[in-house]
Amino acid sequence: MNSSPIRNTSATGSGLRPGLAAGPAAWLAITAVVAFQLAFEVPALCVLLPVSLGALFALRRLGSPRVSLYLGMAVGLGVFVPQMLFLWRIFSIAAVPLWLILAFFHGVFLLVLNRVEFRWGPGWALALAPVLWCGVEYFRSEIWWLRFSWFAAGTCLPPGARGFLVPLGVYGCGALAMMVGALGCRTLEMRRSIRPRWMRPAQIVVAVILLVGVVGSVREVRTADSVQSRVSVAGVQMEFPGVPEVRFALERLRTNQPKAELLLLSEYTFDGPVPEPVKAWCRRHGKWLVVGGKDPMSGALPDGESSSIPALFRPKGLFPQVPEGEAYFNTAFVINPQGEVAFTQAKSRPIQFFRDGEPARERRVWESPWGRLGIPICYDASYRRVTDDLVRQGVQGLLIPTMDVEAWGERQHRLNARMARLRAVEYQLPVFRVASSGISQLMDGTGRELATAPFPGNGEEIFGTLELRGVTRRLPLDAWVAPASTVVTAGVMVALVVLAWGSRWQRRAS
């Protein structure tokens, strides 16, 4: 590994200049953005993901830390803004700082990588790039308060790439893509120079990993565990319905799908607990019902939990409002055939800037008559820290009641549905998801959609069979690797700051 700093690279025979000129830097930034967008939009072009991250890695050679931060943010804006124009519809001008905050993490990654290159040389930059990328992505997506995971690099992979997604997970796939892109970039940079002895073994290892992933993706899926139980499920899409509308929709669903045993309605179907007429309907017809509502909160939050912040940006299409100061849990209620509340689960990750309830005090698994079912509510399914916890508890399937306001547009609905599909592939679990105005999905453990209901689709029904297999508690590798990468990234940043302070002190002393 070459540990010489970038200013001495000409002496090491790498043939690189200390800085990257403005023209090549601009083209690399454009390549990073265009390759990401193509990989995200066209499943067959997901192979361009390493090209995007390799171009970002090449930008580490910028001559100024400040330019690295700004150009990294520019790349981040090119990644996020085209995909998230719906934020303007929701927040208006306040969408701009949200875009900038998301783009800031691309800037931080490039800034840190630039300092690693300058202080420790291109060898260490190559070795640390996948770790730094994984650490920054995981922190942005899962750790801090404005967590947002939709455009982690691994989300570019389609369900067919299960040979990568199943063992590595979304964050692990992002780290692998950075490894491939960075290694390819470094190989091109050294094409006219003597390559270090470790370069060829590194290329062979990466090639073997890619080959194994490709083989795992194209081979026929055969699940060792046989189907343990089947449940006939059905749901109907409704946005802000009244109790009479819900009863009418349930009656129509029962008529159209008389064999359905478990009915699922969306998040926020009710503006409070489940009304007695709906419980009476379940009792009369002997149906199980999972439905979203509000559970009034009593008592204080446990230590370490923080209350949701009111609508700071006053977004349009807000969820049902509650009087200021009234606290509640955004809850999924399970009503049994006796018309009683058999189980409840509150939302773990309320949406920031909305009155979306308080965070759940705990996550539990519903011991249903058919098997162990987890109920992540809407955006909960976007966060691996939530769904990993459910898988550790031994879930055999996921029920996801969802509320995406129709006014937010089809693009937002498709992006949210994409995350649920990735969860099905990562865990190899069946998923039944019913959204208020689309897109509802019934998927098997390969992410294949067995049934769907469109956007917009008020009153549209979805039905099918949820097949539950054995409990595995299997998590992708990034469940451990990604948090560790975040810790290493923090350590690298601290070391770089200490070295910068030391250099400044030495200059002043001399």
Side-chain angles (χ1 to χ4, degrees), residues 38 45 57 168 208 214 246 332 414 439 505:
L38 290 174
L45 296 181
F57 174 81
L168 299 179
V208 170
V214 170
V246 173
R414 291 198 176 278
I439 300 163
W505 181 84

Side-chain angles (χ1 to χ4, degrees), residues 372-415:
R372 299 171 63 83
L373 296 174
I375 309 180
I377 299 175
C378 194
Y379 283 12
D380 281 353
S382 296
Y383 301 114
R384 281 283 304 278
R385 293 184 71 190
V386 175
T387 51
D388 281 359
D389 185 28
L390 293 173
V391 172
R392 288 190 183 98
Q393 296 182 51
V395 295
Q396 297 170 267
L398 298 177
L399 305 177
I400 310 177
T402 300
M403 166 87 177
D404 284 341
V405 179
E406 183 177 345
W408 293 353
E410 183 176 5
R411 183 63 185 166
Q412 187 274 339
H413 287 66
R414 291 198 176 278
L415 291 172

Side-chain angles (χ1 to χ4, degrees), residues 129-367:
V131 178
L132 296 175
W133 179 257
C134 187
V136 169
E137 272 205 324
Y138 188 75
F139 182 83
R140 186 203 80 206
S141 302
E142 304 280 350
I143 303 296
W144 82 311
W145 179 67
L146 280 178
R147 58 185 72 87
F148 191 75
S149 64
W150 281 8
F151 301 102
T155 61
C156 290
L157 298 183
R162 56 185 173 270
F164 296 98
L165 286 167
V166 171
L168 299 179
V170 164
Y171 302 113
C173 286
L176 176 62
M178 176 57 78
M179 182 188 302
V180 174
L183 186 60
C185 172
R186 187 69 183 129
T187 301
L188 291 175
E189 290 175 349
M190 302 182 67
R191 64 186 182 278
R192 295 180 181 176
S193 60
I194 299 176
R195 298 175 183 175
R197 284 178 294 181
W198 53 262
M199 180 71 78
R200 183 56 58 85
Q203 293 171 334
I204 293 174
V205 169
V206 170
V208 170
I209 293 173
L210 292 177
L211 179 61
V212 171
V214 170
V215 171
S217 297
V218 299
R219 70 177 176 85
E220 182 182 358
V221 177
R222 294 178 180 176
T223 305
D225 297 324
S226 60
V227 176
Q228 292 191 347
S229 63
R230 294 179 174 87
V231 52
S232 180
V233 296
V236 58
Q237 299 180 163
M238 293 179 288
E239 188 166 300
F240 304 130
V243 175
E245 295 173 270
V246 173
R247 292 180 63 191
F248 176 80
L250 289 174
E251 188 61 32
R252 187 182 63 182
L253 195 62
R254 185 184 68 85
T255 302
N256 295 340
Q257 308 298 329
K259 295 183 179 180
E261 305 166 86
L262 175 62
L263 308 182
L264 177 62
L265 300 182
S266 74
E267 174 191 21
Y268 281 121
T269 294
F270 299 116
D271 197 24
V274 180
E276 185 56 39
V278 175
K279 294 179 180 179
W281 184 91
C282 294
R283 186 164 51 248
R284 182 164 58 252
H285 299 289
K287 298 291 187 182
W288 285 90
L289 173 66
V290 179
V291 59
K294 294 178 180 178
D295 190 6
M297 178 182 167
S298 59
L301 283 173
D303 292 340
E305 297 287 358
S306 60
S307 177
S308 299
I309 292 182
L312 300 179
F313 292 160
R314 302 192 181 278
K316 305 168 187 175
L318 203 58
F319 291 156
Q321 292 296 289
V322 295
E324 193 68 31
E326 179 182 332
Y328 70 95
F329 292 111
N330 177 353
T331 302
F333 297 87
V334 177
I335 309 300
N336 63 21
Q338 290 74 45
E340 303 165 339
V341 176
F343 181 83
T344 62
Q345 177 59 60
K347 191 173 187 177
S348 296
R349 297 287 186 263
I351 302 179
Q352 304 90 340
F353 307 119
F354 289 83
R355 289 196 58 78
D356 194 24
E358 304 295 338
R361 290 172 171 169
E362 61 178 343
R363 281 184 291 273
R364 298 178 296 136
V365 172
W366 174 34
E367 300 283 356

Side-chain angles (χ1 to χ4, degrees), residues 25-110:
W27 280 111
L28 286 170
I30 292 171
T31 300
V33 171
V34 172
F36 180 90
Q37 296 296 343
L38 290 174
F40 193 86
E41 290 296 331
V42 184
L45 296 181
C46 66
V47 294
L48 291 178
L49 179 59
V51 175
S52 173
L53 298 184
L56 185 63
F57 174 81
L59 289 172
R60 79 198 185 283
R61 294 175 48 228
L62 289 164
S64 164
R66 184 176 301 176
V67 173
S68 298
L69 175 64
Y70 293 161
L71 193 56
M73 290 185 64
V75 172
L77 288 172
V79 166
F80 292 114
V81 174
Q83 297 289 343
M84 299 182 64
L85 288 174
F86 64 86
L87 284 184
W88 185 274
R89 184 178 302 175
I90 300 173
F91 295 109
S92 188
I93 191 64
V96 174
L98 294 178
W99 289 329
L100 289 171
I101 289 171
L102 291 173
F104 177 72
F105 289 93
H106 274 67
V108 168
F109 167 77
L110 193 56

